[in-house]
Amino acid sequence: MMLYSAPFQAQHAKPDYDQALLWTVLLLLAFGLVMVYSASIAMAGASRYTNHQETYYLTRHAFFVLFGLALGFVAFQFPTRALQKLAPWLFVLGIVLLALVLVPGIGREVNGSRRWLSLVFINLQPSELMKLFVVLYAADYTVRKASHIESFTKGFLPMLLVMLFIGALLLREPDFGAFAVIIAIAMGILFLGGVNGKQFGALLVMLVIGFVIVIWSSPYRMQRIIGFMDPWADPFGKGYQLSHALIAFGRGEWFGVGLGASVEKLLYLPEAHTDFLLAVVAEELGFLGVTVVATLFAFLVLRAFAIARQAERLERPFAALVAYGIGLWIGVQVVINMGVNVGLLPTKGLTLPLLSFGGSGIAANCAALGILLRIDWESRQLLKGYSV
């Protein structure tokens, strides 16, 4: 009997990685590939920039996805202890890249924003990489300062000053959306790491006041707020993007008009393949399609938090905080992007993770999820009694 039971048990042994998480990521990437092609085909065919090639954005996005998967595989190979050692250096690299974006002749300006570095084949957006670097650095900082984390001068203030410096660089681009996500990541990790509750509450109040001042002092941000509050008051001006996004949601109703049948993507809805990809999903696949996308993202975030809790139980504080940070990053960015698409939040230049067109975003997301899978894998090895 033992001769048959051993192979049977081996075949049904638990895998060494989170299969559900991996398949969710692959499904989102594949769905994004389809929707980016659907959303961009009209724009690519009409543009001289793309040489009227309808598959221009599809082929580039496919390359980004393959590159992102390769980068995620590489990230999976790094032990978390090695990532903890690299965290400060990666953070410094991110600061250097953000500074280079602002240098005339180096940073590339598009639509009034200087957010990109022109490389040989692609444009690198450092703010996307900085989100990952902030996750690693904030987790490492919180672990290193564990004994002083409740102290304002030794634990809280240094991180606050560093985040304000990063915020100043991002606002110079300007990239208010990335700044909001990065602040949410850093503050979330500090809160989970045990920062003083009163200090954290005071910081939240200061952040709200700071955001109001930043918006109030910037005419173009004020125009976005006005357009967000009543897009139909100026549907051909300040409210143009949001009004067309809402039209797309209205046309989609419950089950959509059919894949590829969107009207809004026919040069009506700006940034249909990037910031407003969800509006095209809503129009073509309806409420059902949007619900499926939201459910997949919710599952991904919940798995990140579950992996973080497992790492906590195994007394792996850095790994736990990194997993929490990745979950916060994906969750916050998804909520902001979806909020913008349905008119609950003012327009921001934030893409939908894993779905929207954009090489830097896809690469950063895949690298982060490769690290998340590594954290889970290491926890499983420790539960089996192996060292990592």
Side-chain angles (χ1 to χ4, degrees):
M1 188 68 180
M2 292 295 294
L3 292 175
Y4 296 97
S5 63
F8 181 85
Q9 291 174 357
Q11 291 175 5
H12 291 78
K14 290 184 178 180
D16 284 342
Y17 61 94
D18 193 325
Q19 287 184 313
L21 174 62
L22 179 60
W23 280 109
T24 300
V25 171
L26 293 176
L27 185 58
L28 284 168
L29 288 171
F31 182 70
L33 196 64
V34 173
M35 292 312 304
V36 164
Y37 180 47
S38 178
S40 66
I41 185 170
M43 180 176 62
S47 174
R48 292 182 179 180
Y49 172 76
T50 64
N51 199 26
H52 304 288
Q53 297 178 6
E54 295 182 340
T55 59
Y56 177 84
Y57 291 103
L58 171 66
T59 54
R60 288 178 67 83
H61 192 65
F63 170 78
F64 295 152
V65 168
L66 291 175
F67 178 76
L69 289 172
L71 193 61
F73 178 78
V74 171
F76 180 82
Q77 309 306 313
F78 281 83
T80 52
R81 62 178 183 274
L83 288 173
Q84 187 171 4
K85 293 178 181 178
L86 286 172
W89 300 106
L90 291 173
F91 187 69
V92 171
L93 173 63
I95 292 175
V96 171
L97 292 175
L98 287 178
L100 284 175
V101 166
L102 302 175
V103 177
I106 298 179
R108 182 169 180 261
E109 185 173 335
V110 178
N111 295 330
S113 298
R114 189 182 293 272
R115 302 178 184 176
W116 295 268
L117 294 174
S118 294
L119 303 181
V120 179
F121 299 107
I122 61 172
N123 293 317
L124 176 68
Q125 189 172 357
S127 60
E128 292 292 339
L129 301 181
M130 197 62 182
K131 294 170 187 174
L132 174 58
F133 298 161
V134 165
V135 168
L136 298 174
Y137 177 74
D140 173 56
Y141 178 88
T142 304
V143 171
R144 283 190 290 109
K145 298 286 186 176
S147 58
H148 303 293
I149 198 65
E150 292 193 4
S151 169
F152 178 78
T153 55
K154 294 183 179 180
F156 187 76
L157 184 60
M159 175 60 80
L160 176 61
L161 294 176
V162 168
M163 288 301 107
L164 288 176
F165 177 66
I166 297 300
L169 291 175
L170 288 170
L171 292 177
R172 285 290 304 276
E173 295 184 6
D175 195 345
F176 188 76
F179 176 49
V181 173
I182 285 174
I183 288 295
I185 292 169
M187 295 303 103
I189 290 176
L190 279 179
F191 177 75
L192 293 168
V195 71
N196 183 280
K198 292 181 179 179
Q199 295 175 10
F200 187 78
L203 174 65
L204 289 180
V205 173
M206 289 189 293
L207 283 175
V208 171
I209 295 173
F211 282 142
V212 171
I213 292 173
V214 167
I215 293 171
W216 190 269
S217 62
S218 176
Y220 92 93
R221 291 194 182 99
M222 279 299 298
Q223 293 300 316
R224 283 189 172 186
I225 295 294
I226 294 171
F228 152 73
M229 293 175 67
D230 186 7
W232 307 110
D234 186 12
F236 297 103
K238 294 184 289 291
Y240 184 80
Q241 282 182 307
L242 180 54
S243 61
H244 279 279
L246 294 176
I247 290 171
F249 273 87
R251 292 193 74 247
E253 298 185 348
W254 289 101
F255 302 107
V257 298
L259 184 63
S262 167
V263 171
E264 285 300 318
K265 71 183 182 183
L266 303 178
L267 308 183
Y268 293 107
L269 177 64
E271 311 298 337
H273 62 310
T274 55
D275 300 354
F276 284 90
L277 184 67
L278 187 70
V280 178
V281 174
E283 186 178 3
E284 296 190 347
L285 303 178
F287 177 78
L288 178 62
V290 174
T291 301
V292 170
V293 171
T295 302
L296 288 173
F297 277 119
F299 177 78
L300 192 156
V301 172
L302 290 174
R303 285 306 307 151
F305 287 171
I307 290 170
R309 288 193 297 270
Q310 180 69 280
E312 274 186 318
R313 288 192 288 267
L314 294 170
E315 299 181 353
R316 305 175 61 215
F318 173 76
L321 289 173
V322 169
Y324 277 128
I326 293 171
L328 284 170
W329 166 16
I330 300 294
V332 168
Q333 187 158 333
V334 166
V335 167
I336 292 176
N337 179 274
M338 289 187 170
V340 167
N341 273 256
V342 300
L344 293 176
L345 293 172
T347 304
K348 292 284 174 289
L350 281 177
T351 57
L352 195 57
L354 299 173
L355 266 67
S356 295
F357 178 83
S360 301
I362 292 291
N365 294 156
C366 288
L369 292 165
I371 292 171
L372 185 63
L373 284 166
R374 175 73 191 200
I375 293 170
D376 174 70
W377 180 85
E378 289 184 355
S379 294
R380 293 175 188 238
Q381 300 308 302
L382 288 172
L383 289 171
K384 292 179 180 179
Y386 302 128
S387 60
V388 293

